[in-house]
Amino acid sequence: MAASVDFWFEFASTYSYLAVSRIEQEALAAGVVVTWRPFLLGPIFKAQDWNDSPFNVYPVKGRYMWRDMERLCDGYGIPLKRPTQFPRNGLLAARVTLAGGDAGWVPPFVKRTYRANFAEDRDIADAKVLGELLRDVGADPAAVLTEAGSDAVKAKLRANTEEAVRLGIFGAPSFVANGELFWGNDRLADALVWAKRTA
Amino acid sequence: MAASVDFWFEFASTYSYLAVSRIEQEALAAGVVVTWRPFLLGPIFKAQDWNDSPFNVYPVKGRYMWRDMERLCDGYGIPLKRPTQFPRNGLLAARVTLAGGDAGWVPPFVKRTYRANFAEDRDIADAKVLGELLRDVGADPAAVLTEAGSDAVKAKLRANTEEAVRLGIFGAPSFVANGELFWGNDRLADALVWAKRTA
C-alpha cells in the first residue's frame, strides 16, 4: 500500500498557509500520497468557548504569531502581507474545495486562495473573489460555485469537520498518517516519516 | 560580542523538558552562550483566566500533547513517564535555580529536576525531593534551600516573571535572542541561528 497522509487544513488558518505551500513538494520527495481535507475550526473553537481565533482571544499570542509567520515565510521564500481582516471566513472556500473532488485544479486552487488571503489581502469569503481564483486555476467558476452550494457538498464539509473532531483535531494544519495525529506546520516532516514507516 | 540567548523555562512545562535536555549541546555546537532564566507561567496563565495548565483546561489538546511528548522523547532518546500529577508546582525549583546564580551545578540541577518530574514521577514541589536532587548534582541542600527562601531570591523570581511578560512571553520554553522572541522547543534551532546572525 502506498504511504499516505490526510492533510487537514482550514482556510482561515495562518500556519495552514505555510503547510499548503510546502506539502506537495515535501510529500513528493518522501514518496507519500496526500489527501486534501478541508474542515472548519469555528465549530471546534466554539466548543471551547472561543468565538474568535485564539490569536485574537489572546492578543499576546497573536502578536507573536504574526512575527513568527513573518520569519517563517521569509525562510520559505513565500510572500506574506498581514490581512486587514483576520480571521476571514473560510466556509465557502472549503465548500469549493470539496466541490472540486479529485479534480486537478483543487491543490492549485487551495494554494491560490491562501495566497489571496495572506499575501494579497483579498476577501476569500466573497464568492466573486473565489470565482476569480477559480478562473486563475482553470476551473469553471459558475459550475463550481453552484456545486459548492449544493446540499451534498454542505453535508460533506460538516462530515469532514465531525471526522476531524473524532480524530482529536483541535487546530490547523493537522496531518493524520495511519491514525496518528500530528499538529502544526512544524510536524509535517514527522508526519511524512510516520506515513512511510507505517505504510 | 559573543552570540547569546536567554532561555526561559518553567519547571511545570513538558516542552521545556525537551529544550532543557537539548540546549547545552545545541548551543555549544552553534557557539552561542545560554543564560538560564526560570520563570512562572502561573501568573501569566491567570491573566488569561486559566487557573490550570491549558493542557488540562483543553483536554483534547492535552491528550495530543502527551502523545507528541512520547514521540519527541523517543526521537531524542530521553526518558518519559507521564507524571501522576500535572502540572507540578515549580515555584521552589525555580527559586532554587535562582539561588544557585552562576554556580556550575545549576544546569545539571535543572536537568535533574525535569527528569525527576517527567521521567521518575517525583514531586518537585517538595523541598525534601529538591534536597535530594541538589545532593545528586553536588550542591549543599541545606544552604541552597535556605537561600531559596530568602526575600532576595523571591524578588528575583518575581522580577524574572515580570520581565517575561514585558518580553511578550506567553508559554514555555521561550528563547530570546537580541530582543527577538522564539516560542517552543521547535524554535530552538531558529533562536540559535538568530543569535549568531545578530551578534
Side-chain angles (χ1 to χ4, degrees), chain A residues 174-192:
Chain A
S174 289
F175 314 96
V176 178
N178 286 304
E180 187 78 11
L181 172 63
F182 295 84
W183 171 54
N185 173 63
D186 292 318
R187 292 285 176 280
L188 172 54
D190 290 344
L192 295 174

Side-chain angles (χ1 to χ4, degrees), chain A residues 64 67 71 180-181 183, chain B residues 64 67 71 180-181 183:
Chain A
Y64 174 79
R67 179 64 187 135
R71 288 189 309 234
E180 187 78 11
L181 172 63
W183 171 54
Chain B
Y64 174 80
R67 179 63 187 135
R71 289 190 308 236
E180 187 79 11
L181 172 63
W183 170 53

Side-chain angles (χ1 to χ4, degrees), chain A residues 95 99 144-158:
Chain A
R95 286 179 179 163
V144 174
L145 284 168
T146 300
E147 174 65 13
S150 70
D151 286 346
V153 162
K154 288 178 181 174
K156 227 179 248 180
L157 180 56
R158 272 196 304 273

